[in-house]
Amino acid sequence: MYYNNILETIGNTPLVKLNKITKHIPATVLAKVEYFNPGHSVKDRIGIKMIEDAEQKGILKPGGTIIEGTSGNTGMGLALAAIMKGYKCIFTVSDKQSKEKIDLLRAMGAEVIVCPTSVEATDPRSYYSVAKKLNKEIPNSFYPNQYDHAANTKAHYETTGPEIWEQTEGRITHFISGVGTGGTISGTGRYLKEKNPDIKIWGIDTYGSVFKKYHETGEFDEKEIYPYITEGIGEDIIPENVDFKIIDYFEKVTDKDAFVMTRRLAKEEGLLVGNSAGSAIAGLLQMKDRLKAGDLVVVLLPDHGTRYVGKAFNDDWMRERGFLEEGMGKARDIVAAKSAEELITIAGDKPLQEAIALLQKHNISQIPVTNGSDIVGAVTENTLYAKIIDNPDFKHLKVENVMEEPLPVVEADTPSSRISEIIRQGNGAVLVSDNGKFHIVTKYDIIHQLARS
């Protein structure tokens, strides 16, 4: 047996039982692993569906151009179909999308236009607006608009929902999915509820998105909108494909929890998936008290982790955002592991010679400079010694005349990984503020903590 083309391999993705991550959940948890689709994502299902719908309606004609605003995965689904059917593709994406996604779209022959994330949806620079503008300007072009195109929901009603029902032999009790355009959860959820109205449909949202509050209050609150890192879920608009009547409950998940869980899925379950999948499983764990023995939960994992190698699976990227703590804990943990000595400081009006004496006496490399109760600067060993060698009279000046910028200050609950990043940027130390007191954390303290962890 063989397939006539790659499009015939879309769908019929497997259900895989989760074991380690869900060991404290009383229910059985199955993952619908959508990276088994040829384009490695759930969006393959809607790409072909929207194109075929446009062909049937005469909107898309031979030699035409497909133009879409996408987070990357829908673009891949459309590109696959376009290759087989002879269409060109132009995709607009936001600048928060991973480089891997953009590179892959270009590898499939598409033109990709990167647009700013930090603008309103109605701004002419947004990836929504740019796609619409191109559609008006380019003859024989088709703008699917996955957010509002009914074929998005229909694709999941006709394929994803029936697959899950058959694969679980009708025993499914809960379906969990991230919500972006809304087609996956609405189409799948509608089919499942028609089969059994008692099935719970839970949506995963992200902080910075409007869905959860809109679902619970009916209010579109612009104050809820702010930039976030998680890709593929959440919105600053209300797409027509989000059927809020189908969704029983929304759970919000932080960027950090999503990315940390993405890495756990790879290490503990062998599932190399994207960070919206991490959001879905993190949300499941947050809702575990709503589940009981005998429940059968299906969580949809949308795409493959190879599209996030430069983000979720890049240690430096994770550290820069405070997502990777590497067992070091918080700033207060480093402070607790140090001796209980008081912070050594020097007033700005003191002679520099006193600062040098303190450095030598206590065998330290930097001293915060104070003005009353305020920390206003710092003097460091390397800088002082270099200047004294050049000009021995330098030591007779006042500290405030030669001090440098104050050391960076962090709160006690700051992840140690963030302190490491600050020190790596060239700072000799960091001050930790805890209940009105300051403590100093140096490069040596970080190394010591790493050796202990």
Side-chain angles (χ1 to χ4, degrees):
M1 175 184 173
Y2 64 88
Y3 295 99
N4 292 308
N5 60 59
I6 198 66
L7 302 180
E8 293 184 358
T9 67
I10 295 172
N12 295 309
T13 55
L15 286 182
V16 177
K17 184 176 184 291
L18 299 186
N19 298 287
K20 295 179 181 178
I21 289 176
T22 57
K23 62 185 177 182
H24 298 302
I25 295 179
T28 298
V29 180
L30 306 178
K32 181 71 166 165
V33 188
E34 287 295 293
Y35 67 58
F36 280 88
N37 284 305
H40 295 167
S41 100
V42 67
K43 296 294 189 176
D44 290 356
R45 297 175 184 268
I46 73 170
I48 185 62
K49 191 70 178 176
M50 291 190 296
I51 287 177
E52 289 179 346
D53 179 82
E55 290 173 334
Q56 292 167 6
K57 293 177 179 177
I59 299 171
L60 185 57
K61 300 179 176 62
T65 301
I66 298 166
I67 301 169
E68 180 68 327
T70 174
S71 64
N73 288 331
T74 299
M76 180 61 73
L78 289 167
L80 281 173
I83 289 169
M84 293 297 103
K85 291 172 169 288
Y87 300 117
K88 303 174 200 170
C89 288
I90 301 175
F91 299 127
T92 60
V93 303
S94 68
D95 56 15
K96 76 174 182 181
Q97 305 310 327
S98 69
K99 183 176 183 296
E100 289 82 4
K101 283 184 178 178
I102 295 170
D103 288 344
L104 285 169
L105 289 176
R106 288 172 174 155
M108 301 299 286
E111 179 183 345
V112 181
I113 299 172
V114 181
C115 307
T117 300
S118 56
V119 296
E120 294 183 2
T122 54
D123 189 292
R125 297 168 295 168
S126 77
Y127 75 101
Y128 312 104
S129 299
V130 173
K132 292 176 183 177
K133 179 174 180 288
L134 290 171
N135 176 226
K136 292 179 180 177
E137 294 175 349
I138 298 175
N140 190 20
S141 64
F142 167 54
Y143 172 48
N145 184 15
Q146 60 180 314
Y147 298 91
D148 301 332
H149 200 305
N152 181 347
T153 295
K154 189 176 181 182
H156 295 289
Y157 179 86
E158 293 179 350
T159 66
T160 317
E163 286 174 28
I164 292 172
W165 181 257
E166 292 169 11
Q167 289 170 322
T168 62
E169 298 177 330
R171 294 184 295 115
I172 179 174
T173 60
H174 298 74
F175 175 66
I176 299 176
S177 173
V179 184
T181 66
T184 302
I185 196 166
S186 300
T188 306
R190 185 178 303 159
Y191 181 89
L192 293 174
K193 278 189 176 286
E194 286 179 4
K195 287 294 186 180
N196 178 1
D198 293 332
I199 294 174
K200 299 299 181 185
I201 309 298
W202 291 347
I204 303 299
D205 197 13
T206 185
Y207 289 90
S209 166
V210 298
F211 287 145
K212 181 176 173 63
K213 184 169 184 178
Y214 185 84
H215 179 256
E216 294 174 355
T217 68
E219 178 188 358
F220 182 89
D221 187 357
E222 292 186 356
K223 294 178 182 177
E224 292 276 299
I225 301 171
Y226 58 83
Y228 54 89
I229 303 173
T230 301
E231 299 179 35
I233 66 171
E235 284 299 340
D236 54 1
I237 57 174
I238 303 296
E240 291 181 15
N241 274 307
V242 183
D243 188 344
F244 289 96
K245 298 188 298 296
I246 293 292
I247 303 168
D248 296 294
Y249 178 75
F250 271 94
E251 182 76 4
K252 276 186 181 281
V253 175
T254 66
D255 284 330
K256 178 177 180 178
D257 289 343
F259 279 90
V260 169
M261 182 56 70
T262 301
R263 291 167 71 106
R264 285 189 61 191
L265 281 164
K267 291 181 178 179
E268 298 178 40
E269 302 286 354
L271 290 167
L272 189 65
V273 290
N275 69 285
S276 60
S279 292
I281 300 300
L284 162 71
L285 295 187
Q286 291 173 195
M287 298 185 287
K288 66 180 186 297
D289 292 340
R290 294 168 170 258
L291 300 169
K292 63 183 186 302
D295 286 342
L296 179 58
V297 182
V298 174
V299 186
L300 189 132
L301 307 186
D303 65 355
H304 201 277
T306 50
R307 293 174 183 172
Y308 307 88
V309 171
K311 290 188 175 183
F313 301 106
N314 182 292
D315 287 356
D316 290 337
W317 188 93
M318 292 284 285
R319 283 193 199 96
E320 287 170 5
R321 287 149 187 83
F323 294 170
L324 189 63
E325 297 183 18
E326 303 174 316
M328 291 165 54
K330 306 289 186 181
R332 62 168 57 90
D333 300 318
I334 301 179
V335 171
K338 291 163 58 71
S339 62
E341 295 179 0
E342 289 291 320
L343 176 67
I344 297 168
T345 63
I346 188 167
D349 59 359
K350 296 292 184 181
L352 192 57
Q353 197 161 6
E354 286 191 24
I356 296 169
L358 284 173
L359 290 170
Q360 293 172 331
K361 177 182 178 180
H362 296 281
N363 192 27
I364 55 179
S365 300
Q366 51 272 313
I367 305 176
V369 179
T370 60
N371 180 3
S373 60
D374 297 328
I375 293 176
V376 295
V379 288
T380 63
E381 179 183 66
N382 290 341
T383 301
L384 290 184
Y385 287 172
K387 290 185 177 180
I388 288 172
I389 288 172
D390 291 338
N391 180 10
D393 292 333
F394 186 80
K395 63 185 178 183
H396 299 299
L397 296 173
K398 289 184 178 181
V399 169
E400 61 192 7
N401 297 132
V402 298
M403 67 183 182
E404 303 169 36
E405 290 294 314
L407 296 172
V409 178
V410 300
E411 298 299 320
D413 61 354
T414 299
S416 299
S417 56
R418 177 58 185 151
I419 297 177
S420 298
E421 183 59 32
I422 292 171
I423 290 177
R424 287 201 320 164
Q425 291 170 356
N427 298 288
V430 169
L431 292 178
V432 177
S433 174
D434 188 13
N435 294 322
K437 293 183 66 176
F438 286 99
H439 309 272
I440 193 165
V441 172
T442 66
K443 186 183 299 183
Y444 171 81
D445 296 323
I446 293 288
I447 294 171
H448 182 65
Q449 185 75 358
L450 275 171
R452 287 165 48 95
S453 62

